[in-house]
Amino acid sequence: MSRAGSMTNKADSWSVPITVAQLPDTGLHRDIEAGLTAREAMAEVAGLREILSASASLDVTPESGGRVRVEGRVRARIGQTCVVTLDPIENDIDEPIDLIFAPPEQIPQLADLVDEAAESHAEIPDPPEPIENGVIDLGRLATDALFLGIDPYPRRPDAVFEPPVVVADPEDHPFAALKALQLDAKPTDAKKPKNR
């Protein structure tokens, strides 16, 4: 298996599939939590030191036309490295989720509606996500939201970047190179012109 395939499998390690055909008309609520193995795999994919906890609270509601709305929140505590001090730090993630899923055959039509809204300067809805093989994976959805919430440049609250102090070299100024050229250009044994 290729490394890319291995990383994709690790990103999918938190899997909680919901079969759309089995959704009750009133919808359902799911509280899910990633286990240690899933958190380790996700941390590796995201380039994190660790994911200490990851959970989601989601409401899954069927809508007209076979569409499904998923709303809720993903919360996690992650271990990162401060970009200033290189000290280990922990950060909290709290990301909202509000997505519509639709059968794959509806996606082009719904994407056209999004394009039309963009052209008319109306509020642009997010395009729907496809329902794949009649299933919505809540774990994968929560993983994606968690990854979006990661601060790419984490720092301790008290960390202050101070650039290194460099003592100015008197020979290091904009015209130093010209001065060196001028010294090289002077003849050392210039001959005086002869008088006739």
Side-chain angles (χ1 to χ4, degrees):
M1 176 180 284
S2 71
R3 181 156 173 77
S6 169
M7 285 297 169
T8 300
N9 289 342
K10 288 182 180 188
D12 291 334
S13 60
W14 188 12
S15 182
V16 182
I18 298 289
T19 304
V20 172
Q22 295 176 352
L23 279 174
D25 292 341
T26 56
L28 57 85
H29 177 82
R30 286 285 182 262
D31 291 317
I32 60 175
E33 189 166 340
L36 177 62
T37 304
R39 293 193 320 265
E40 287 174 348
M42 290 187 299
E44 183 180 344
V45 171
L48 300 172
R49 228 181 46 254
E50 61 186 329
I51 297 178
L52 301 158
S53 65
S55 63
S57 181
L58 303 168
D59 291 312
V60 184
T61 311
E63 295 193 338
S64 63
R67 293 186 284 272
V68 176
R69 176 176 227 125
V70 180
E71 296 176 281
R73 301 197 83 75
V74 174
R75 292 179 176 88
R77 186 154 186 87
I78 60 174
Q80 294 181 277
T81 302
C82 174
V83 295
V84 176
T85 65
L86 301 181
D87 291 334
I89 58 173
E90 292 179 3
N91 287 317
D92 291 317
I93 291 175
D94 185 354
E95 284 291 309
I97 292 176
D98 186 0
L99 290 172
I100 299 289
F101 286 80
E105 62 275 6
Q106 292 182 15
I107 299 294
Q109 173 192 358
L110 293 170
D112 289 343
L113 292 175
V114 170
D115 291 342
E116 287 172 18
E119 290 171 8
S120 68
H121 302 293
E123 184 176 334
I124 302 170
D126 289 332
E129 299 290 324
I131 298 171
E132 297 176 2
N133 301 319
V135 172
I136 296 173
D137 191 337
L138 299 181
R140 177 61 197 208
L141 178 60
T143 300
D144 290 346
L146 187 157
F147 286 176
L148 287 173
I150 295 172
D151 181 354
Y153 303 105
R155 59 182 355 177
R156 282 186 1 206
D158 61 342
V160 177
F161 176 72
E162 294 180 17
V165 177
V166 178
V167 178
D169 180 357
E171 294 297 319
D172 186 24
H173 55 82
F175 298 106
L178 290 175
K179 184 178 178 182
L181 288 173
Q182 185 181 21
L183 291 175
D184 288 345
K186 285 187 179 177
T188 53
D189 59 341
K191 295 183 181 178
K192 292 182 181 178
K194 295 181 182 178
N195 291 336
R196 291 192 185 186

